[in-house]
Amino acid sequence: MNILDIFRSAEVLKIVFQLGYMPEKEEFYELTPEQYEQYYKTEGQHDSRDQKVFMLLPHDAKKYNEIASGDVFVVTEQEMSYFDSAKHLIESYCKDSDTPFDSFEDKLYYVAKFVPDICIKGTKFEKAQLIVRKS
């Protein structure tokens, strides 16, 4: 993995911490033509129109309500591939811990102790990192 891949994985890891769970590929839907136009207008990325763009729409109603009332997560096809890297990173930290975890959220609380501040800043997992650094 090169340094650019690591940076992109960190960006996706930040999204995972913001969401509080790891979205499945089936929860991403390609934008409609109208949404693409709005996306390109907002993002100003007219040169990358050949790349597919997806919006996260969680299947879980609670997660959907949390996202619908806040940020909309839109990722490119290339960025979607980094979710696998982020998941692998989270799982490898947890595997090395030899600790049983009851939920993916518990895993995120544990991993928050090790990731860069930027990945958890402004999330509920930020406190987990502060507790460890004080001890």
Side-chain angles (χ1 to χ4, degrees):
M1 184 179 286
N2 67 37
I3 193 69
L4 190 55
D5 287 340
I6 292 169
F7 173 75
R8 289 182 178 142
S9 294
E11 286 296 310
V12 170
L13 195 57
K14 181 178 179 177
I15 292 172
V16 172
F17 277 102
Q18 288 172 330
L19 293 171
Y21 83 108
M22 179 63 71
E24 299 294 326
K25 290 182 181 182
E26 299 80 31
E27 295 179 295
F28 288 95
Y29 296 87
E30 187 173 2
L31 299 182
T32 65
E34 295 81 16
Q35 290 169 326
Y36 268 112
E37 285 306 312
Q38 183 61 40
Y39 173 80
Y40 291 125
K41 186 185 290 185
T42 304
E43 297 297 317
Q45 296 180 350
H46 299 285
D47 58 332
S48 62
R49 288 183 181 246
D50 58 332
Q51 189 169 192
K52 291 182 179 182
V53 181
F54 300 87
M55 179 177 14
L56 175 63
L57 295 173
H59 297 302
D60 180 319
K62 181 180 175 193
K63 297 275 185 225
Y64 177 79
N65 288 334
E66 290 172 10
I67 292 171
S69 64
D71 292 330
V72 174
F73 291 95
V74 179
V75 295
T76 64
E77 192 169 25
Q78 183 178 17
E79 290 168 335
M80 279 186 62
S81 68
Y82 295 108
F83 276 94
D84 289 336
S85 298
K87 184 175 184 176
H88 177 71
L89 178 67
I90 291 166
E91 294 298 336
S92 67
Y93 273 114
C94 293
K95 181 180 177 187
D96 291 344
S97 76
D98 292 327
T99 304
F101 297 95
D102 293 331
S103 67
F104 190 78
E105 187 173 283
D106 289 346
K107 290 179 180 184
L108 290 179
Y109 274 111
Y110 176 77
V111 174
K113 302 170 191 176
F114 306 105
V115 297
D117 293 346
I118 191 68
C119 293
I120 59 170
K121 187 173 181 174
T123 71
K124 64 183 178 185
F125 302 99
E126 188 172 19
K127 292 177 186 173
Q129 191 180 59
L130 294 174
I131 291 168
V132 170
R133 289 193 176 166
K134 286 182 181 179
S135 26

